[in-house]
Every structure is written in structure tokens, then in C-alpha cells.
Amino acid sequence: MIKNSERLDLTLKAQSHDSLVSVIMPTYNCLSYLPSAIDSVLAQGVSFELLIVDDGSTDGSDIWLAEQAKKDPRIKVIKGEHKGVSAARNLAIKVAQGDWIAFLDADDFWYKRKLKAQLETVYSNPNCVMNFTEYDHLDEQGVDLGRCFHFWPRFSALLKGVTTDYAMISGKDKTCVYEENIIGTSTVLVKTRAIREVGGFDETLFSASDWDLWLKLSNKGDLSVIKYSTTHYLVRSNSISRNQQRRLKSMLCILERYKPSMETLNPYCYTPAFARFKLAEAEALQGQPGGYWPAVLSYIQACYRLPTKRNFRACLSHFVYGLWRHA
């Protein structure tokens, strides 16, 4: 159950738990974004090593990164094999020297004190294996697209009664990660020992390997969440998967993979989780040729499983749009 704790002290003094944090940053042709991402790590004010995995970039990133590594010995560049982001992160996990690992995508950046606040949180709660935070969605033009947690009504309701800056997530409440994919990878701080014990990211999954990992970690201990935003998350115009069927197949695989362990915690968690999958399926179908009526069916199934205002609005909006389009 989510528990209140004392308010975070963000004016942290020198602390005995100033552990080394291994920051893992995969990058592929992100040279224009790298300076902001790296600067945000340098400004954190904690002991860290920055492991940047260049996954076969062709935009000059390798030369620029080599120069940065010469300037700051905390920056270490690893040559990836262009096998994808999960493989790139796993390469860095194997060599990470920190007690904790933080992830940051090359096109995102952190706000100041992000890592300090997270270290304070996890060291205040010995059973905590992972912390994540709220984050801001912005597009390439800098338009604010809203904060992540606002998109997830069930999780927002879970946090509603918490009056402090962070909350612990334990017991049956851990199924919130199963019901809604609320965690942004660039906000995560995880115990190195725990992530190695569960085997890191599943490289066989086409998509959602991060969601899979958070669910594996939830079986290793408690989670914690910082309620305010610590991260700028870039929504790029080309970030939508071109192979939606493979993405949906990965989602369904994960949904079924963790159903037994999640239902052990909360026997009612599968219904909202499956409804979310049907919603994602509907959204994928509606943009495809001949996908209008299959999308309607998926929307109806989502509403049947989880009859919320949000699901009904999405279904009605799609139905009305179809009528207008074919009028």
C-alpha cells in the first residue's frame, strides 16, 4: 500500500550515502541533442560515471563523444553493435560500477537535483529497488504536451491521497505498473544488483522491453515514485513504431507473462491491463486502411473491460470521426 513519508529535503547536505551512480545513455544519431543531455548529467551534483553507448551512429557522434571523454574522465564511451536500444543498455549494465543505475535517453534531459532527490528517497527506504518520477512531454518545437501521470487516471487516483513529495509502492499497489505503463525510462533509478539479478532488458522483445523490466524488478522489492517532474521527455515526430502489429504482439506477450505474479498480488489487475491493451490496439487500427470497424470493436472491448469516461470518450470520438469522414 502507498505510504506517506516525511517531506523530501531537497537542500541535501554532504551525505554518507553519496554512492556512485552509473548513468546509462544509449545514442544513435542524436548529436544535436547530446550536449543538453550530457550537461544535465554534469549538473546533478552527485558522484557518477556516464556510460554512453554509441549504437553505430553515422552523424559524427563518435568523434564528438571521444572529445567529451577526453575532457571529463567520468564520461566513458562504449561502442555498440547496432542491435537496438535494449542491447545497448545491457552492454552498459554489464560494466557499470555504481551501486545504482540511472537511465537517460540522448534526446531527453534532467532537471537539477533529480538524482539527489532519488538517492534521498531510496536510501530512506531500504526495501526500495527502484525509483521513478513524473516527467514532462514536449515536442520538437518545445510545445508542452502535458505531464505523464495525467494520462494515467488509475495511477493518478492512487497518488491522490498522498500529501508528500514521494510515495512508496508495495504489496498489491505494485500492480499499478502492470495496469498502466506509467514509468518513463529516463526517470528511473534502479539498484544495480537487482537489475543484474533479473537479467536486464529482454532483447527478444520488439517493443516495451522497458515495461517488461520494471515488472521483473517489481518482484524483487518495493518501488517508489517522486510525484513532481524531474525530466524533459522529447516526443519526436518519427518516434511512433512503424510495425504496430509487432509492437502490439510484444505488449500482449508481456501482459500474459506477468499475469500470474500480478494476479497473486491483486486478482483484479488483469481487467484494466487488458483494457489498456485493447485501447492501444484500437489506436493502432484506426489509422490503417480498412481499420475503422476493427478499431470500433477494440474500443468497445476496452469499454466493456473498463467502463471509464476516458475509454468511452475515445470510442465515441473515433465513431463520430468515422461518420463525419464517410458522410
Side-chain angles (χ1 to χ4, degrees):
M1 184 174 185
I2 287 186
K3 305 170 184 176
N4 290 345
S5 298
E6 295 180 359
R7 185 175 181 81
L8 280 177
D9 178 8
L10 295 183
T11 59
L12 298 180
K13 301 176 181 178
Q15 300 168 12
S16 60
H17 61 249
D18 190 18
S19 301
L20 178 72
V21 178
S22 295
V23 181
I24 293 178
M25 182 186 298
T27 181
Y28 176 69
N29 288 346
C30 285
L31 182 56
S32 60
Y33 300 108
L34 279 169
S36 294
I38 292 175
D39 284 348
S40 75
V41 177
L42 299 177
Q44 290 301 305
V46 303
S47 298
F48 72 88
E49 62 172 354
L50 175 53
L51 306 177
I52 303 177
V53 186
D54 181 11
D55 201 29
S57 296
T58 58
D59 62 348
S61 294
D62 54 343
I63 298 173
W64 186 84
L65 286 171
E67 294 174 352
Q68 305 313 304
K70 289 179 181 178
K71 295 177 184 177
D72 193 326
R74 296 174 297 179
I75 299 175
K76 303 168 186 178
V77 182
I78 302 171
K79 190 66 177 177
E81 301 175 3
H82 199 47
K83 292 183 177 180
V85 67
S86 294
R89 289 175 180 141
N90 282 341
L91 272 178
I93 289 170
K94 291 177 182 177
V95 300
Q97 299 181 43
D99 296 325
W100 295 86
I101 287 174
F103 297 103
L104 178 61
D105 288 345
D107 51 3
D108 299 335
F109 63 81
W110 290 333
Y111 306 148
K112 289 183 178 180
R113 299 183 179 274
K114 185 257 190 190
L115 289 182
K116 277 193 172 185
Q118 289 187 291
L119 285 172
E120 176 74 2
T121 303
V122 295
Y123 276 99
S124 297
N125 301 277
N127 292 328
C128 184
V129 296
M130 187 177 83
N131 176 267
F132 63 98
T133 82
E134 172 71 286
Y135 58 96
D136 295 306
H137 288 102
L138 291 97
D139 68 12
E140 292 167 297
Q141 287 71 47
V143 176
D144 186 351
L145 302 177
R147 290 190 169 173
C148 169
F149 295 169
H150 294 171
F151 290 102
W152 305 113
R154 293 175 67 84
F155 185 66
S156 295
L158 199 61
L159 290 181
K160 192 173 183 180
V162 179
T163 58
T164 49
D165 286 335
Y166 81 95
M168 293 302 300
I169 304 176
S170 61
K172 66 180 181 63
D173 285 334
K174 288 195 287 186
T175 61
C176 67
V177 179
Y178 180 72
E179 295 173 14
E180 297 174 328
N181 190 5
I182 53 179
I183 301 176
T185 304
S186 287
T187 76
V188 168
L189 179 75
V190 61
K191 188 172 288 187
T192 305
R193 185 183 65 207
I195 200 171
R196 285 175 175 162
E197 287 176 353
V198 300
F201 292 89
D202 184 346
E203 297 176 28
T204 68
L205 290 169
F206 175 77
S207 181
S209 61
D210 52 349
W211 182 37
D212 175 79
L213 178 57
W214 315 146
L215 290 167
K216 283 192 288 189
L217 287 165
S218 72
N219 289 323
K220 300 295 291 185
D222 293 341
L223 314 179
S224 61
V225 55
I226 292 177
K227 293 166 52 183
Y228 56 83
S229 179
T230 68
T231 302
H232 174 292
Y233 175 81
L234 179 65
V235 180
R236 298 168 70 176
S237 58
N238 63 349
S239 63
I240 298 175
S241 171
R242 294 181 180 180
N243 196 325
Q244 293 174 324
Q245 288 306 312
R246 289 178 67 189
R247 179 175 64 86
L248 289 169
K249 185 178 179 181
S250 293
M251 288 180 64
L252 188 58
C253 172
I254 295 167
L255 199 65
E256 297 302 323
R257 177 182 292 178
Y258 295 97
K259 182 180 178 182
S261 62
M262 292 293 107
E263 286 191 326
T264 299
L265 295 173
N266 177 4
Y268 305 105
C269 67
Y270 182 77
T271 293
F274 187 75
R276 185 177 67 83
F277 168 75
K278 298 305 293 186
L279 202 61
E281 183 179 64
E283 290 168 352
L285 286 168
Q286 65 186 9
Q288 297 179 5
Y292 175 75
W293 287 111
V296 168
L297 178 60
S298 292
Y299 274 122
I300 291 173
Q301 289 174 323
C303 292
Y304 176 76
R305 289 275 183 166
L306 193 65
T308 64
K309 290 181 180 179
R310 179 186 179 186
N311 288 352
F312 279 120
R313 280 198 299 266
C315 182
L316 182 61
S317 175
H318 173 72
F319 187 72
V320 171
Y321 173 74
L323 292 177
W324 170 80
R325 186 178 179 183
H326 294 96

